[in-house]
Amino acid sequence: MKHQPTTLTPARAFAGAVAAFACAALLTATQAQAAGTDAATTVATEAPAAEATVTQDPPAAEPPPGVSFFKKVELTGLVDAYYTYNFNEPATGTMTPLRNFDVRHNQFSVAYLELAMNKAATAEDRVGFRFDLGYGQVAQIFNTDLLDNNALVNVQQAYVSYLAPVGSGLTLDFGKFVTPVGFELTESNLDFNYSRAFSYALGPFYHVGARLGYTPNDKVSLSAMLVNGWSGQAGDNNAGKTVGGSIILKPTGKLTIAENVLFGPEQDGNTDDKRFLTNTNLAFNPTDKVSLGADLYYARDTVAGSDVDWMSTVLYMRGQVTPVFAVAPRFEYFDDGGGLVSGAVQKLKDFTLTGEFKSSEGVIFKVEFRRDWSDVDVFTKNGNAVNNQNTFTASMVYAFSSK
């Protein structure tokens, strides 16, 4: 039978249109959903990652009161012990004539225990101070002062400093300070030799008063002082005062020249007669292994209407033989023309040879032979007056610093 074509009625046409619209809508919704999914994926992929949370350290705790102050303070110390043998063989423990710190014959001795605090006055903090406590034979000999009842026997230095805003800085020190006079220093670890020369032993040790210091540049330093006396007096033995001045020149990195002057009345209850002292010392380092020094003194005073004077020359050398061993010879000539400082009109000489061993930990061992002699018999051996004495000294010194 032959198939008949289908006749499209209005109802069928409407139904077909509805079906076609539904299909189109479904297709459109599906594409929109897919597009939305892709867009969301793209946005999720391209969106920047969330910033990491930054964890900050808590603010530093404030240091306890006083800690910042003591960070500016340098703490130093020294332990110095020795043994000396005098070949003139006086009684054990007897003082060796004309010596100051290496004094006790045939006896182990504690020369010095020192603890010092130092805060320099600077442009950032204009107030400073220095305070040196000392114990032992050196302290007793250094500070013996009946005029002040030995009140400062254990205080080597104690002064307050102020840096005034004048030029490069004008420093005022007020109190007790060691003398600028001489090549040698009180602490044995800072000297070439262990024993001190006659010029140091018979000269001033310290002063009490006021001091001004000014350093215009790195080659010149100037200072002036007004003090009770030049000969290590904390108190004063008359109504006058002593004036002093110093100039230090450093023309090169290898040479230092210092000139010191003191002038004032030093006789008990006498302000009319004046004592004058001039001291020149030179330090020259031709190489990093060789150091040379010279110390020149001239002094004059008036006693009972008569002028007396004395003078001395001390020559120093130190050679660093190895990194741990050094040798230091010294020769001195001291002419006490009036007998005022040594107790006799005489010409003194000393030759000293010191060997120094320094450990990596900073301990210093010094062994020393010294010969003293005079043109008059001022020494004693077996009860008889002689013109010389020979000594041997061994010492062990340790110094430390917080800086």
Side-chain angles (χ1 to χ4, degrees), residues 268-336:
D268 291 343
N270 179 354
T271 59
D272 296 327
D273 296 324
K274 305 294 193 296
R275 180 175 298 180
F276 169 77
L277 178 143
T278 177
N279 163 243
T280 304
N281 58 70
L282 311 173
F284 179 54
N285 302 306
T287 73
D288 59 354
K289 297 184 182 301
V290 177
S291 299
L292 305 174
D295 213 3
L296 312 173
Y297 289 80
Y298 174 77
R300 184 186 68 250
D301 204 342
T302 302
V303 179
S306 299
D307 291 339
V308 294
D309 58 8
W310 62 99
M311 64 187 70
S312 70
T313 300
V314 195
L315 302 177
Y316 302 88
M317 179 180 175
R318 186 178 189 275
Q320 193 69 46
V321 182
T322 73
V324 299
F325 176 68
V327 61
R330 176 184 67 202
F331 175 76
E332 177 181 22
Y333 174 81
F334 191 102
D335 184 357
D336 190 3

Side-chain angles (χ1 to χ4, degrees), residues 89-381:
E89 297 182 335
T92 294
T94 299
M95 301 281 281
T96 301
L98 295 176
R99 305 278 270 275
N100 56 352
F101 297 157
D102 56 321
V103 290
R104 297 292 184 184
H105 161 65
N106 193 27
Q107 178 175 298
F108 289 96
S109 303
V110 175
Y112 205 31
L113 303 175
E114 183 184 72
L115 188 64
M117 298 174 65
N118 179 38
K119 176 182 173 293
T122 65
E124 292 74 27
D125 189 351
R126 295 189 176 277
V127 179
F129 70 91
R130 175 145 192 157
F131 181 31
D132 297 17
L133 282 175
Y135 295 86
Q137 290 177 3
V138 171
Q140 293 174 340
I141 295 168
F142 185 93
N143 290 308
T144 297
D145 182 12
L146 300 179
L147 294 175
D148 201 34
N149 296 320
N150 289 331
L152 298 178
V153 67
N154 296 120
V155 179
Q156 186 199 77
Q157 298 189 92
Y159 59 85
V160 180
S161 299
Y162 178 74
L163 181 65
V166 178
S168 59
L170 180 68
T171 303
L172 169 64
D173 298 326
F174 211 94
K176 178 182 179 181
F177 39 83
V178 296
T179 184
V181 174
F183 186 86
E184 298 180 4
L185 299 170
T186 310
E187 292 80 7
S188 65
N189 61 302
L190 303 177
D191 291 325
F192 290 178
N193 308 97
Y194 185 77
S195 66
R196 309 321 190 270
F198 297 129
S199 300
Y200 178 95
L202 301 175
F205 290 165
Y206 65 86
H207 310 282
V208 176
R211 176 176 62 184
L212 287 174
Y214 186 73
T215 304
N217 54 58
D218 60 356
K219 295 185 181 299
V220 180
S221 297
L222 308 170
S223 67
M225 62 184 180
L226 179 66
V227 297
N228 288 339
W230 85 286
S231 55
Q233 296 167 342
D236 208 338
N237 63 348
N238 56 54
K241 295 292 179 281
T242 292
V243 297
S246 300
I247 179 171
I248 300 175
L249 305 175
K250 297 181 179 180
T252 71
K254 295 184 177 182
L255 176 64
T256 300
I257 306 168
E259 179 67 28
N260 304 292
V261 176
L262 295 173
F263 179 75
E266 301 299 336
Q267 302 299 321
D268 291 343
N270 179 354
T271 59
D272 296 327
D273 296 324
K274 305 294 193 296
R275 180 175 298 180
F276 169 77
L277 178 143
T278 177
N279 163 243
T280 304
N281 58 70
L282 311 173
F284 179 54
N285 302 306
T287 73
D288 59 354
K289 297 184 182 301
V290 177
S291 299
L292 305 174
D295 213 3
L296 312 173
Y297 289 80
Y298 174 77
R300 184 186 68 250
D301 204 342
T302 302
V303 179
S306 299
D307 291 339
V308 294
D309 58 8
W310 62 99
M311 64 187 70
S312 70
T313 300
V314 195
L315 302 177
Y316 302 88
M317 179 180 175
R318 186 178 189 275
Q320 193 69 46
V321 182
T322 73
V324 299
F325 176 68
V327 61
R330 176 184 67 202
F331 175 76
E332 177 181 22
Y333 174 81
F334 191 102
D335 184 357
D336 190 3
L340 181 64
V341 289
S342 70
V345 177
Q346 62 178 320
K347 294 177 174 61
L348 281 165
K349 304 179 185 68
D350 97 72
F351 174 75
T352 305
L353 184 62
T354 307
E356 177 186 293
F357 302 85
K358 188 171 184 178
S359 73
S360 58
E361 294 81 9
V363 178
I364 299 173
F365 302 89
K366 288 185 179 181
V367 292
E368 179 175 286
F369 172 80
R370 172 168 169 170
R371 177 175 175 81
D372 303 328
W373 68 102
S374 173
D375 62 339
V376 296
D377 295 339
V378 294
F379 305 103
T380 302
K381 183 175 184 178

